[in-house]
Amino acid sequence: MIRVDGFAPSSRLSSVERTQPGGPHAAARTAVIWEVLRREVARGAGLRVVDVGGGTGGFAVPLARAGHEVTVVDPSPDALAALVRRAEEAGVAERIRAVQGDADDLAELLPSGRIPSDVDLILCHSVLEVVDSPTAVASALAALLRTGAAASVLVASRAGAALTRAMAGQLDLALAVLTDPDGRWGSRDTVRRRFDIDGATRLLAQAGLTVEEIHGVRVVADIIPATVAERDHELLAAFEGTVAGQSPFRDVAAQLHLLARKP
Ligand SMILES: C[S@@+](CC[C@H](N)C(=O)[O-])C[C@H]1O[C@@H](n2cnc3c(N)ncnc32)[C@H](O)[C@@H]1O
């Protein structure tokens, strides 16, 4: 069952969020995701976490600081080098493993032992929109999880992209996003696909996961003037947290965050 309400936003940022790279303004943009993750990791200590496409460790490092064992899988050597540096600076290098690899190859990586099996939590943020096969990747995510464990999946939203383009005065691109089968605005669009709520939910359900929660991330963060977002970052976090689970706000956010569990 999809839960769209019952989201209890914190009006203030936690110390973890305030210290995110990019400062409080950037933290306000991810506060909705952290709210969900905080509840999920409160289920246990020393969880085995895999962050697919985890990049420089924006999520991995705070999770390791909270005592969890995090494996980051990412194809970019530069991102992994930055991750290792950040992990060392944060004093959590021993709890972070950096694995160079592609989400499309997850199924082949697993038998190598480089990534753990029976994982307690998987993060797959901003990756399904760029992989070769979202269906295969979703199945591989499900295969990694132990029964009862959850995947935190963040995808680009078609509706959000259309709104942002329209508000920037690029109405032709906004219309293209709405009519293109993959939600792209043209051949120079670096995003391979964008998702609707139904499509993202179906993708995870077909992989055998039960979508429990869907929130909109960055409902207004990219639309309001940057000076306002900077000045009123606490208010922005409060606003984003309040509307994240509410239609119609959730539906036009830049990204959709889904929490899906392996039954
Ligand atoms: C926008 S960043 C997001 C980083 C992180 N997940 C976050 O939310 O902060 C996208 C990341 O996905 C990685 N990536 C790109 N293609 C990928 C693929 N095929 N499989 C796994 N990761 C990929 C990039 O190297 C980059 O680190």
Side-chain angles (χ1 to χ4, degrees), residues 94-121:
E94 77 286 355
R95 283 203 291 278
I96 291 195
R97 195 192 304 183
V99 175
Q100 190 174 3
D102 201 291
D104 283 298
D105 300 329
L106 266 185
E108 287 96 74
L109 273 174
L110 186 57
S112 73
R114 292 167 67 212
I115 48 176
S117 55
D118 284 338
V119 167
D120 298 305
L121 175 66

Short mmCIF file of all heavy atoms in Angstrom, two decimals, residues 94-121:
data_model
loop_
_atom_site.label_atom_id
_atom_site.label_comp_id
_atom_site.label_asym_id
_atom_site.label_seq_id
_atom_site.Cartn_x
_atom_site.Cartn_y
_atom_site.Cartn_z
N GLU A 94 36.84 3.17 7.93
CA GLU A 94 36.73 1.72 8.15
C GLU A 94 35.30 1.21 7.98
O GLU A 94 35.07 0.00 7.89
CB GLU A 94 37.32 1.33 9.52
CG GLU A 94 36.46 1.61 10.73
CD GLU A 94 36.39 3.08 11.12
OE1 GLU A 94 37.07 3.94 10.51
OE2 GLU A 94 35.62 3.39 12.04
N ARG A 95 34.33 2.13 7.95
CA ARG A 95 32.94 1.68 7.79
C ARG A 95 32.40 1.92 6.37
O ARG A 95 31.23 1.73 6.11
CB ARG A 95 32.03 2.39 8.82
CG ARG A 95 32.17 1.78 10.20
CD ARG A 95 30.95 2.05 11.06
NE ARG A 95 30.83 3.44 11.41
CZ ARG A 95 31.48 4.02 12.42
NH1 ARG A 95 32.31 3.30 13.16
NH2 ARG A 95 31.31 5.28 12.70
N ILE A 96 33.30 2.38 5.46
CA ILE A 96 32.86 2.63 4.09
C ILE A 96 33.72 1.84 3.12
O ILE A 96 34.95 1.86 3.20
CB ILE A 96 32.94 4.13 3.75
CG1 ILE A 96 31.87 4.87 4.55
CG2 ILE A 96 32.74 4.37 2.26
CD1 ILE A 96 31.58 6.26 4.08
N ARG A 97 33.06 1.11 2.23
CA ARG A 97 33.77 0.40 1.17
C ARG A 97 33.39 1.03 -0.17
O ARG A 97 32.19 1.22 -0.44
CB ARG A 97 33.37 -1.08 1.18
CG ARG A 97 34.33 -1.92 0.35
CD ARG A 97 33.81 -3.31 0.10
NE ARG A 97 33.47 -4.06 1.29
CZ ARG A 97 33.04 -5.32 1.25
NH1 ARG A 97 32.92 -5.96 0.11
NH2 ARG A 97 32.72 -5.95 2.36
N ALA A 98 34.40 1.38 -0.97
CA ALA A 98 34.14 1.98 -2.29
C ALA A 98 34.37 0.92 -3.35
O ALA A 98 35.44 0.33 -3.42
CB ALA A 98 35.08 3.17 -2.51
N VAL A 99 33.35 0.66 -4.15
CA VAL A 99 33.44 -0.36 -5.19
C VAL A 99 33.16 0.30 -6.53
O VAL A 99 32.09 0.88 -6.73
CB VAL A 99 32.41 -1.48 -4.94
CG1 VAL A 99 32.41 -2.48 -6.09
CG2 VAL A 99 32.68 -2.18 -3.61
N GLN A 100 34.15 0.22 -7.43
CA GLN A 100 33.90 0.78 -8.75
C GLN A 100 33.05 -0.20 -9.54
O GLN A 100 33.41 -1.36 -9.73
CB GLN A 100 35.21 1.06 -9.49
CG GLN A 100 34.96 1.86 -10.74
CD GLN A 100 36.23 2.28 -11.44
OE1 GLN A 100 37.33 1.93 -11.02
NE2 GLN A 100 36.07 3.02 -12.52
N GLY A 101 31.90 0.27 -9.98
CA GLY A 101 31.01 -0.62 -10.71
C GLY A 101 29.79 0.13 -11.19
O GLY A 101 29.51 1.25 -10.76
N ASP A 102 29.10 -0.50 -12.09
CA ASP A 102 27.94 0.08 -12.75
C ASP A 102 26.68 -0.59 -12.21
O ASP A 102 26.68 -1.80 -11.99
CB ASP A 102 28.09 -0.21 -14.26
CG ASP A 102 27.27 0.73 -15.08
OD1 ASP A 102 26.03 0.62 -15.03
OD2 ASP A 102 27.87 1.59 -15.75
N ALA A 103 25.63 0.20 -12.04
CA ALA A 103 24.38 -0.38 -11.55
C ALA A 103 23.89 -1.47 -12.49
O ALA A 103 23.30 -2.47 -12.05
CB ALA A 103 23.32 0.71 -11.40
N ASP A 104 24.14 -1.30 -13.78
CA ASP A 104 23.70 -2.31 -14.74
C ASP A 104 24.41 -3.65 -14.54
O ASP A 104 23.95 -4.67 -15.04
CB ASP A 104 23.92 -1.81 -16.18
CG ASP A 104 22.85 -0.80 -16.59
OD1 ASP A 104 21.66 -1.17 -16.63
OD2 ASP A 104 23.20 0.36 -16.84
N ASP A 105 25.54 -3.64 -13.83
CA ASP A 105 26.31 -4.87 -13.62
C ASP A 105 26.16 -5.40 -12.19
O ASP A 105 26.94 -6.27 -11.78
CB ASP A 105 27.80 -4.61 -13.89
CG ASP A 105 28.03 -4.15 -15.32
OD1 ASP A 105 27.25 -4.56 -16.20
OD2 ASP A 105 28.96 -3.35 -15.52
N LEU A 106 25.20 -4.88 -11.44
CA LEU A 106 25.07 -5.27 -10.03
C LEU A 106 24.96 -6.78 -9.86
O LEU A 106 25.58 -7.37 -8.98
CB LEU A 106 23.81 -4.63 -9.43
CG LEU A 106 23.94 -3.30 -8.69
CD1 LEU A 106 22.61 -2.93 -8.08
CD2 LEU A 106 25.04 -3.37 -7.64
N ALA A 107 24.15 -7.39 -10.73
CA ALA A 107 23.91 -8.84 -10.59
C ALA A 107 25.22 -9.61 -10.72
O ALA A 107 25.43 -10.62 -10.04
CB ALA A 107 22.90 -9.30 -11.62
N GLU A 108 26.13 -9.12 -11.59
CA GLU A 108 27.42 -9.82 -11.76
C GLU A 108 28.40 -9.50 -10.62
O GLU A 108 29.26 -10.30 -10.30
CB GLU A 108 28.09 -9.42 -13.09
CG GLU A 108 27.43 -10.02 -14.32
CD GLU A 108 26.44 -9.08 -14.96
OE1 GLU A 108 26.88 -8.12 -15.60
OE2 GLU A 108 25.22 -9.29 -14.79
N LEU A 109 28.23 -8.29 -10.02
CA LEU A 109 29.13 -7.90 -8.93
C LEU A 109 28.89 -8.74 -7.67
O LEU A 109 29.83 -9.02 -6.93
CB LEU A 109 28.90 -6.43 -8.56
CG LEU A 109 29.65 -5.35 -9.32
CD1 LEU A 109 29.17 -3.98 -8.89
CD2 LEU A 109 31.14 -5.49 -9.05
N LEU A 110 27.66 -9.15 -7.47
CA LEU A 110 27.29 -9.80 -6.21
C LEU A 110 28.11 -11.06 -5.94
O LEU A 110 28.69 -11.20 -4.85
CB LEU A 110 25.79 -10.10 -6.20
CG LEU A 110 25.23 -10.65 -4.90
CD1 LEU A 110 25.52 -9.70 -3.75
CD2 LEU A 110 23.74 -10.89 -5.01
N PRO A 111 28.22 -12.00 -6.92
CA PRO A 111 28.98 -13.23 -6.62
C PRO A 111 30.45 -12.96 -6.36
O PRO A 111 31.13 -13.78 -5.74
CB PRO A 111 28.81 -14.07 -7.90
CG PRO A 111 27.74 -13.42 -8.70
CD PRO A 111 27.65 -12.00 -8.27
N SER A 112 30.96 -11.78 -6.80
CA SER A 112 32.38 -11.49 -6.59
C SER A 112 32.69 -11.25 -5.11
O SER A 112 33.86 -11.22 -4.71
CB SER A 112 32.78 -10.24 -7.38
OG SER A 112 32.24 -9.09 -6.75
N GLY A 113 31.66 -11.02 -4.31
CA GLY A 113 31.88 -10.76 -2.89
C GLY A 113 32.27 -9.32 -2.61
O GLY A 113 32.52 -8.94 -1.47
N ARG A 114 32.35 -8.49 -3.66
CA ARG A 114 32.75 -7.09 -3.44
C ARG A 114 31.61 -6.29 -2.85
O ARG A 114 31.81 -5.22 -2.28
CB ARG A 114 33.23 -6.48 -4.76
CG ARG A 114 34.55 -7.11 -5.23
CD ARG A 114 34.86 -6.74 -6.66
NE ARG A 114 35.15 -5.33 -6.79
CZ ARG A 114 34.86 -4.62 -7.88
NH1 ARG A 114 34.26 -5.17 -8.91
NH2 ARG A 114 35.17 -3.34 -7.93
N ILE A 115 30.38 -6.75 -3.03
CA ILE A 115 29.25 -6.11 -2.35
C ILE A 115 28.54 -7.16 -1.50
O ILE A 115 28.49 -8.33 -1.87
CB ILE A 115 28.26 -5.43 -3.32
CG1 ILE A 115 27.89 -6.35 -4.46
CG2 ILE A 115 28.81 -4.14 -3.86
CD1 ILE A 115 26.85 -5.76 -5.38
N PRO A 116 28.03 -6.73 -0.35
CA PRO A 116 27.42 -7.70 0.55
C PRO A 116 26.07 -8.20 0.04
O PRO A 116 25.44 -7.54 -0.78
CB PRO A 116 27.24 -6.91 1.85
CG PRO A 116 27.21 -5.49 1.45
CD PRO A 116 28.02 -5.37 0.19
N SER A 117 25.66 -9.35 0.51
CA SER A 117 24.31 -9.84 0.22
C SER A 117 23.47 -9.65 1.48
O SER A 117 23.98 -9.23 2.52
CB SER A 117 24.36 -11.31 -0.18
OG SER A 117 25.02 -12.04 0.82
N ASP A 118 22.18 -9.95 1.38
CA ASP A 118 21.28 -9.79 2.53
C ASP A 118 21.41 -8.40 3.16
O ASP A 118 21.58 -8.25 4.37
CB ASP A 118 21.55 -10.86 3.60
CG ASP A 118 20.97 -12.19 3.17
OD1 ASP A 118 20.06 -12.20 2.31
OD2 ASP A 118 21.44 -13.22 3.67
N VAL A 119 21.31 -7.40 2.31
CA VAL A 119 21.53 -6.02 2.72
C VAL A 119 20.31 -5.49 3.50
O VAL A 119 19.17 -5.86 3.22
CB VAL A 119 21.80 -5.18 1.44
CG1 VAL A 119 21.73 -3.71 1.71
CG2 VAL A 119 23.13 -5.57 0.84
N ASP A 120 20.57 -4.63 4.50
CA ASP A 120 19.48 -4.08 5.33
C ASP A 120 18.84 -2.85 4.70
O ASP A 120 17.69 -2.52 4.99
CB ASP A 120 20.04 -3.68 6.71
CG ASP A 120 20.58 -4.88 7.46
OD1 ASP A 120 19.84 -5.85 7.62
OD2 ASP A 120 21.76 -4.84 7.86
N LEU A 121 19.60 -2.13 3.88
CA LEU A 121 19.07 -0.92 3.26
C LEU A 121 19.85 -0.64 1.99
O LEU A 121 21.09 -0.68 2.00
CB LEU A 121 19.20 0.28 4.22
CG LEU A 121 18.79 1.66 3.68
CD1 LEU A 121 17.29 1.71 3.39
CD2 LEU A 121 19.17 2.76 4.68
#
